[in-house]
Amino acid sequence: MSALLTVENLDVRFGPRRGGAGAAPVHAVRDVSFSVAAGECLALVGESGSGKSTVARALLGLAGAGARTSARTLRVDGRDVTGFGAREWRSVRGRVVGLVAQDALVSLDPLRRIGAEIAEPMRLHGTAERSRIGARVVELLRRVGVPDPEARATQYPHELSGGLRQRALIASALAAGPRLLIADEPTTALDVTVQAQILDLLATAKEDGTGLLLISHDLGVVARIADRTAVLRRGEVVETGPTPALLAAPRHPYSRALVAASVLRSPPRAPKRTGTVLEVDAVSLSYGARTAVREVSFTLRAGETVGLVGESGSGKSTVARLATGLLRPHSGTVRLDGEPWSELPERLRRPRRARIQLIHQDPYSAFDPRFTVSRIIAEGIPRHEDRAARTRELLGLVGLGPEHLHRRPDQLSGGQRQRVAIARALAPSPGVLVCDEPVSALDASVRAQVLDLLDDVQQRLGTALLFVSHDLSVIRRISDRVLVMKDAEVVEEGTAEEVFDAPRHPYTKSLLAAALTAGTDAAPPGVPTRPGTPPAAAARPR
Amino acid sequence: MSVMRRWAVPVVRRLGSGVLVLWGAATVSFLVLHLVPGDVVDTVLGPSTAATPELRERIRADYGLGDPLPVQYLRQLAGLLTGDLGRSYQQGLPVGDVLAGQIGPTVELALAATVLALLIAFVAAVATAGRGRAARAVASGLELLAVSVPSYWLGILAFTFLSYRFRLLPAAGDQGPAALVLPALTLALPIGGVLARVVRQELDEALARPFALTVRARGATERTVLLRHTLRHAALPVATLSGWVVGSLLGGAVLTETVFARPGLGRVLVTAVTSKDIPVVTALVLLSAAAFVVVNLLVDLAYLVIDPRLRTEGAGV
Amino acid sequence: MSVVARTWGGPAGGRVGRRVAPAVAAAVLVLLGVAVVFPGLLAPHPPNDTDVVSAFRPPGGGHPFGTDELGRDVLSRVVYGARPSLAIGLGATALGVLAGLAIGLLAATGPRVVDRALMRGLDVLLAFPELLLALLVVTVVGSGTANVLVAIGIAAVPTYARLVRGQALPVIGSPYAEAAVVLGVRRPVIVLRHVLPNVTGPLLVLATIGTGTAVISGSALSFLGLGTPPPAAEWGSMLSDGREFLATAWWTATFPGLAIVAVVLSVTVLVRSLRSRTPKGAGA
């Protein structure tokens, strides 16, 4: 098997050449070596900041203006590209190596039609006669499983659903017939079911003989498609090997930690369930003609965790806001501690707001950028308490030290921020904590820690959790009971064991089938998700 | 059918809000100008005229000044609808006649300046976007200078030295295209300076967006990325600034026409303001508001052409 | 005006932009401050001393900037002219910023009806070009330094108000404002604690540059004969007087013009350098 791509000792540095003024130079990629053969998929795995996207760009000669790239060998399809100038690089890009970037909504020019975007590589490289380009575009769209390709070609990216957009992006990467495809987090912005379809599509391309370099943070994605995997940490490859072997028995400590964190295991839990704290009774909310939430009911008891799972647009975040009293239901009621809640005017609700708190998905935007940690947490502490002492106590509770008191949000890591957000939410001693995708923005290792922390808080304080997430493994890890939402309604409800081990609703079944797990036993059940199956083409509500 | 609806709905909505703005402008100017202290009759009579009480009364009746304010207000609105802008206190002529001959030169000046400003902006921005530090520093410095120099002062200097002293270009009056060069340039420079910077910032921003990486990864040259993709993105903020541009053009015209002794609405306005000729001031203010509304409407339509995302139903600008 | 401010409020780049220019700008502004507070320290002559014998002296000797048609010392008049010019610039901006802040905050944080009404009103005012709006106000209140100040201030209100609203709305809708609501913080407190401080940073930057633009507008109105009345020294009216003699005595109109340029440039350069030094997240 001849290598399509050979990389030996790749180095990428950013910043000033010598110790001049300004920031210190950053050594983003060091001594990285790997190869990709035709028809093979190599996955480059790492957490945020590991340099994996920088590697992808360096392979296209697009590491950036401030970057200095060097390599002992950089061979693409038999050509040595180390000494390439701008013109030679352009003949490689699109024609020999195609790029599929993360989110097609921003990776396709929003002001141009899908057809023009797919045609561009063919025009640039002259791979198709001008008169035949239109037909080729349709052909490509059909090949990537886009239904009604003639009509789609005349539409704009924002008019397509996330899945179709990503297919169109793949079509444009394939347009000039490259032998190697670099896919940089190609499914990160997508829902699980769509994610599985896109991965199947990439697998088809691989079977057709295209080499595939997959960049991902998600071991589940990697397990599904990659033949071999390289683990990247702080710019260095710490381990390379066949994917099943690497996931089953990682050798390097970092790979081991990564694999361990990707499989969330629930500790044995014995919830001390007592009285009901939150009762949601047949609440509905619509925006104009669109129903966001329809007749959703559930109860939450002290000390238990209810997980609310669903794909984007299913209405799960709206339920979180209805419970918190940030939105008012059009019909139905929410009762807190057995008393009226949703129908109260804000003036009467305010004194009881301490009882139910909210944790946002992105802790960074949930803090006033000018505030220090101590001010952020103090905002939630009732006036009669000793603020300094209570702030320290809360910091200790979430595992942070007093040295963090005077930092600003931008001086904290993602995990630290989410800990501060939890401390702030705990400040008024709430009985209910509503968590809206609290770990989605975090790396796997940090995610596990934050989930442990939430568990620990619940054990110690007896707080009830309403936990909203799109991530099935997270929901399974943390929930006692689970609600599955689809199109504004709850389609299935039960204990975690019931829902995950014996799902009844077809939607729950398809969700579980599409879910990607990195575990060795995780060969996904073969639910047919052929690329040709047209997914719902309607634009996603925003 | 759906195409019709797609375009008709936003157009009708914007037309409606434009009419509202005009009505508001008419009301505001009516109210403000009726707060002017002093007797209008004195303005009509001009200075140093001793008039009999009978004559004063006749003038008052003539201009309808004795009527209660609501009646005067309704009469003015009715007049506007029929194109009657009232009569100048100063010249005794219908305002329409006073303005008629002056619109041409001002429009000519404003259009020439707009073209020049856009030319300056796009040429400067395209030449420097994504380029090295030196080119950007020079462009940035020049743009900064262009907005910091009072344009009328620059006009005076150019007028004096280029036209008067060295007789390179005609400066005064309104004699053909050559006489338009200096005034238009004076008017265009500060506007071009601002637009150039906006366009360049937008180009730089667009060049750094993910879709630009996709285009480069297809093997496109930087020129292709710039001209075929990002330039359209840069046109959007320029369109947003059109209201400001209209204002700057009209305000700048007042000064430029004074400096270069050109005929036009700007000079009429200065004269009317100094002599408190309220009907003329009102008419000019409404005219500029109308220009603003019309240009904004056109720009909103241009928006729909440039950015398909705005054509989706329910999306506002 | 806010358009100019918005486009120039960005951080500066390059060595000249970062080191030299701000130092020069700061020096110019210090000098200007002295000219406003103690003009006698900088001016070699009283500003209104006429001396027909020494009219139109070119720069040099006892008159570094020359003399005008009445033999008045141009340098002294430029120094004394700083006071009315800056009074207009600062006063008008203060007026515009305060009124704009009140209206903008009310629109952003008040009920939707209030927001709609205020925005419609601002739309109407925005339809008047700034200089025309100022001329309209001058028509009503008459000419003079104080009136010009009010006129330019009022003309600037809509742009500041829109800016404040535009800055405040994302803060009001931000997750951290939502977090404060969930914590039971009252709305006025949220406005004071979160919205106002996050609005003032950008607003101050814009106001500083707006001051420069207001100086230009004020001088323009004086140039049209509607500002500070003669014989008081003011840059705009000096320009207006001097331009008749520009062909023979270039210095009469050149130096007041340069003074305006120096003020506007210095203000802009200084703001940009401060802007690029502000740590991320602490400002906008």
Side-chain angles (χ1 to χ4, degrees):
Chain A
M1 211 160 48
S2 70
L4 207 52
L5 172 73
T6 311
V7 181
E8 280 174 23
N9 310 89
L10 176 70
D11 258 50
V12 184
R13 289 163 215 257
F14 291 100
R17 205 164 283 272
R18 283 179 300 275
V26 179
H27 203 158
V29 176
R30 8 174 139 223
D31 214 17
V32 165
S33 305
F34 58 84
S35 69
V36 182
E40 182 199 36
C41 172
L42 174 78
L44 216 50
V45 174
E47 297 193 303
S48 52
S50 61
K52 53 193 193 299
S53 285
T54 308
V55 172
R57 289 174 193 206
L59 296 179
L60 288 158
L62 288 171
R68 277 167 293 121
T69 309
S70 67
R72 197 154 61 87
T73 313
L74 202 55
R75 192 174 286 281
V76 180
D77 196 20
R79 295 163 78 186
D80 176 14
V81 303
T82 42
F84 267 18
R87 179 186 292 268
E88 290 160 307
W89 266 119
R90 283 200 298 274
S91 69
V92 170
R93 295 176 199 145
R95 182 75 185 87
V96 184
V97 185
L99 174 72
V100 179
Q102 186 174 125
D103 182 358
L105 187 60
V106 293
S107 293
L108 288 171
D109 189 338
L111 304 187
R112 302 183 83 213
R113 294 176 200 278
I114 297 290
E117 287 287 283
I118 296 173
E120 188 161 44
M122 295 186 264
R123 289 184 203 281
L124 288 168
H125 296 287
T127 51
E129 282 171 49
R130 285 198 169 266
S131 55
R132 285 216 63 249
I133 284 181
R136 275 286 292 157
V137 166
V138 171
E139 203 180 303
L140 278 160
L141 280 172
R142 188 167 290 134
R143 183 174 150 202
V144 297
V146 172
D148 196 5
E150 287 88 355
R152 298 291 175 223
T154 65
Q155 288 185 304
Y156 290 93
H158 74 279
E159 295 174 305
L160 302 187
S161 68
L164 284 186
R165 258 198 309 263
Q166 202 69 22
R167 285 169 194 271
L169 185 63
I170 292 172
S172 91
L174 292 172
R179 302 202 54 206
L180 177 71
L181 211 53
I182 298 179
D184 188 357
E185 302 273 9
T187 60
T188 304
L190 303 172
D191 284 328
V192 264
T193 45
V194 183
Q195 192 176 25
Q197 294 164 8
I198 295 296
L199 289 177
D200 287 348
L201 173 60
L202 288 173
T204 321
K206 190 183 81 171
E207 278 153 29
D208 293 346
T210 311
L212 187 60
L213 178 64
L214 174 75
I215 314 270
S216 182
H217 72 283
D218 188 337
L219 288 179
V221 167
V222 170
R224 185 162 180 127
I225 184 170
D227 303 302
R228 288 186 303 126
T229 297
V231 179
L232 205 62
R233 182 200 187 205
R234 292 192 198 140
E236 285 179 280
V237 172
V238 297
E239 183 169 355
T240 311
T243 306
L246 192 143
L247 290 181
R251 290 189 307 272
H252 192 277
Y254 179 73
S255 324
R256 245 176 275 154
L258 212 56
V259 172
S262 75
V263 182
L264 298 167
R265 288 182 209 291
S266 312
R269 34 194 316 135
K272 304 162 287 198
R273 290 176 198 170
T274 47
T276 299
V277 284
L278 188 73
E279 289 169 79
V280 175
D281 184 21
V283 292
S284 298
L285 182 72
S286 37
Y287 297 105
R290 194 174 69 83
T291 305
V293 169
R294 183 180 296 126
E295 305 257 322
V296 168
S297 305
F298 63 92
T299 56
L300 184 63
R301 279 162 290 187
E304 79 165 342
T305 301
V306 169
L308 193 55
V309 69
E311 296 189 305
S312 55
S314 61
K316 57 189 192 306
S317 284
T318 311
V319 170
R321 275 172 173 62
L322 286 168
T324 330
L326 286 168
L327 291 173
R328 196 181 290 272
H330 290 158
S331 65
T333 56
V334 180
R335 294 171 74 81
L336 182 65
D337 295 327
E339 288 172 50
W341 176 246
S342 60
E343 62 265 47
L344 294 182
E346 185 62 27
R347 191 171 47 80
L348 295 178
R349 211 154 31 194
R350 203 172 289 125
R352 286 170 57 213
R353 279 223 171 263
R355 290 291 298 152
I356 181 164
Q357 287 297 307
L358 177 68
I359 295 172
H360 289 88
Q361 168 172 2
D362 175 14
Y364 189 56
S365 62
F367 301 141
D368 191 325
R370 301 166 311 106
F371 275 31
T372 57
V373 168
S374 88
R375 276 190 81 185
I376 288 168
I377 296 177
E379 189 164 35
I381 299 174
R383 205 165 291 169
H384 56 83
E385 288 181 36
D386 177 355
R387 292 207 164 173
R390 178 82 171 124
T391 307
R392 276 161 194 273
E393 182 193 334
L394 286 163
L395 270 188
L397 190 67
V398 297
L400 293 176
E403 71 274 13
H404 297 101
L405 272 176
H406 301 292
R407 302 222 181 127
R408 283 180 207 287
D410 58 347
Q411 295 164 321
L412 299 173
S413 71
Q416 287 171 336
R417 279 180 206 145
Q418 202 55 287
R419 285 170 192 271
V420 172
I422 293 171
R424 173 175 64 183
L426 291 175
S429 313
V432 182
L433 213 48
V434 178
C435 310
D436 187 5
E437 301 266 11
V439 294
S440 308
L442 304 175
D443 279 330
S445 54
V446 184
R447 188 180 62 180
Q449 291 166 14
V450 169
L451 290 175
D452 288 345
L453 171 63
L454 284 171
D455 240 9
D456 179 52
V457 163
Q458 184 172 49
Q459 296 293 324
R460 279 205 251 173
L461 307 177
T463 319
L465 295 184
L466 175 60
F467 197 102
V468 176
S469 181
H470 71 283
D471 189 330
L472 293 161
S473 56
V474 168
I475 288 287
R476 174 164 216 175
R477 151 75 181 81
I478 196 135
S479 307
D480 300 311
R481 286 189 299 130
V482 175
L483 304 172
V484 182
M485 276 192 85
K486 179 187 193 307
D487 297 337
E489 290 182 36
V490 171
V491 294
E492 178 151 6
E493 182 179 358
T495 65
E497 292 74 28
E498 284 164 9
V499 172
F500 282 96
D501 298 337
R504 281 161 298 156
H505 194 276
Y507 177 70
T508 315
K509 287 180 188 163
S510 73
L511 263 187
L512 287 170
L516 306 165
T517 40
T520 41
D521 54 327
V527 168
T529 44
R530 302 283 319 152
T533 324
R540 267 201 274 164
R542 283 190 262 159
Chain B
M1 190 57 204
S2 77
V3 173
M4 273 291 290
R5 262 194 62 202
R6 188 178 273 185
W7 290 89
V9 171
V11 168
V12 167
R13 196 191 302 149
R14 282 168 178 77
L15 265 179
S17 78
V19 169
L20 266 183
V21 166
L22 278 183
W23 172 63
T27 310
V28 168
S29 58
F30 176 84
L31 286 177
V32 167
L33 290 168
H34 280 81
L35 299 174
V36 177
D39 193 342
V40 172
V41 178
D42 292 331
T43 315
V44 177
L45 286 168
S48 67
T49 313
T52 59
E54 288 78 29
L55 179 58
R56 298 185 73 94
E57 207 40 57
R58 247 202 18 236
I59 293 170
R60 204 174 286 281
D62 230 23
Y63 283 88
L65 296 167
D67 300 330
L69 276 186
V71 174
Q72 293 193 41
Y73 173 63
L74 288 178
R75 190 166 53 222
Q76 187 183 327
L77 283 188
L80 283 179
L81 287 178
T82 54
D84 175 13
L85 296 167
R87 200 144 38 107
S88 161
Y89 292 161
Q90 197 67 34
Q91 309 184 27
L93 298 166
V95 173
D97 294 356
V98 174
L99 301 185
Q102 310 291 326
I103 291 181
T106 300
V107 169
E108 193 180 84
L109 177 66
L111 284 182
T114 309
V115 171
L116 269 178
L118 287 176
L119 214 63
I120 293 171
F122 277 93
V123 168
V126 169
T128 52
R131 288 290 167 82
R133 224 178 242 173
R136 308 167 68 86
V138 169
S140 177
L142 285 178
E143 288 156 16
L144 184 55
L145 209 59
V147 295
S148 301
V149 174
S151 61
Y152 65 95
W153 177 65
L154 206 63
I156 294 172
L157 294 184
F159 171 80
T160 308
F161 291 102
L162 293 181
S163 306
Y164 189 80
R165 203 143 179 200
F166 306 118
R167 303 192 179 281
L168 289 177
L169 283 166
D174 174 29
Q175 309 122 347
L180 196 58
V181 175
L182 274 186
L185 207 58
T186 307
L187 195 50
L189 264 184
I191 299 173
V194 168
L195 292 186
R197 194 170 161 83
V198 172
V199 172
R200 199 165 36 132
Q201 281 174 342
E202 201 61 30
L203 279 180
D204 282 343
E205 209 171 283
L207 285 172
R209 284 209 229 142
F211 77 80
L213 178 73
T214 309
V215 177
R216 289 193 187 103
R218 289 176 188 149
T221 60
E222 280 304 302
R223 175 186 293 271
T224 306
V225 178
L226 198 69
L227 295 182
R228 205 182 292 165
H229 292 268
T230 51
L231 205 55
R232 272 185 103 168
H233 291 254
L236 285 172
V238 171
T240 324
L241 287 183
S242 57
W244 171 81
V245 170
V246 173
S248 304
L249 284 173
L250 294 174
V254 173
L255 292 161
T256 312
E257 286 171 7
T258 307
V259 168
F260 290 96
R262 272 177 67 88
L265 297 177
R267 285 182 77 196
V268 173
L269 179 63
V270 174
T271 321
V273 168
T274 7
S275 60
K276 303 207 163 174
D277 195 341
I278 289 168
V280 175
V281 175
T282 312
L284 281 170
V285 163
L286 284 181
L287 203 62
S288 72
F292 177 87
V293 166
V294 169
V295 168
N296 266 0
L297 185 70
L298 292 178
V299 165
D300 281 347
L301 292 181
Y303 250 129
L304 293 178
V305 174
I306 301 173
D307 194 341
R309 287 169 292 187
L310 301 175
R311 280 176 235 153
T312 316
E313 254 176 272
V317 174
Chain C
M1 163 204 303
S2 85
V3 167
V4 177
R6 219 173 303 155
T7 36
W8 295 97
R15 191 178 304 150
V16 175
R18 252 179 288 147
R19 304 249 171 94
V20 185
V24 174
V28 168
L29 291 182
V30 167
L31 213 61
L32 208 70
V34 176
V36 168
V37 186
F38 308 110
L41 287 181
L42 296 175
H45 303 276
N48 292 324
D49 266 15
T50 53
D51 177 8
V52 185
V53 184
S54 55
F56 294 130
R57 288 267 170 81
H63 302 288
F65 287 4
T67 61
D68 67 5
E69 76 276 14
L70 296 175
R72 293 175 295 194
D73 182 53
V74 173
L75 171 61
S76 304
R77 287 180 68 74
V78 167
V79 170
Y80 276 90
R83 198 176 282 179
S85 298
L86 284 182
I88 291 174
L90 289 174
T93 306
L95 183 68
V97 164
L98 288 180
L101 193 64
I103 296 174
L105 279 184
L106 199 62
T109 64
R112 189 169 294 182
V113 191
V114 175
D115 182 28
R116 285 258 172 87
L118 285 175
M119 281 302 111
R120 281 274 166 249
L122 288 182
D123 277 347
V124 171
L125 282 186
L126 273 175
F128 301 116
E130 273 185 15
L131 193 73
L132 259 64
L133 197 55
L135 283 174
L136 195 67
V137 176
V138 168
T139 315
V140 176
V141 297
S143 58
T145 311
N147 291 348
V148 164
L149 183 157
V150 172
I152 295 176
I154 290 178
V157 170
T159 43
Y160 285 118
R162 281 187 86 102
L163 183 114
V164 169
R165 177 176 178 270
Q167 294 282 330
L169 277 181
V171 179
I172 282 284
S174 72
Y176 60 86
E178 196 176 81
V181 171
V182 171
L183 288 170
V185 182
R186 288 185 307 124
R187 205 163 167 85
V189 178
I190 294 178
V191 171
L192 283 182
R193 191 185 287 168
H194 295 293
V195 180
L196 193 59
N198 278 305
V199 163
T200 39
L203 186 64
L204 277 183
V205 169
L206 303 174
T208 320
I209 299 176
T211 306
T213 342
V215 168
I216 294 189
S217 303
S219 75
L221 285 181
S222 291
F223 174 78
L224 294 173
L226 300 166
T228 313
E234 199 276 345
W235 296 338
S237 49
M238 288 173 72
L239 273 178
S240 177
D241 293 344
R243 79 176 169 131
E244 290 171 44
F245 318 109
L246 196 55
T248 47
W250 57 268
W251 53 90
T252 49
T254 303
F255 288 111
L258 281 179
I260 299 175
V261 175
V263 171
V264 180
L265 263 183
S266 307
V267 163
T268 315
V269 166
L270 212 61
V271 170
R272 290 178 70 199
S273 89
L274 289 180
R275 209 59 192 139
S276 55
R277 266 168 224 189
T278 319
K280 245 191 172 175

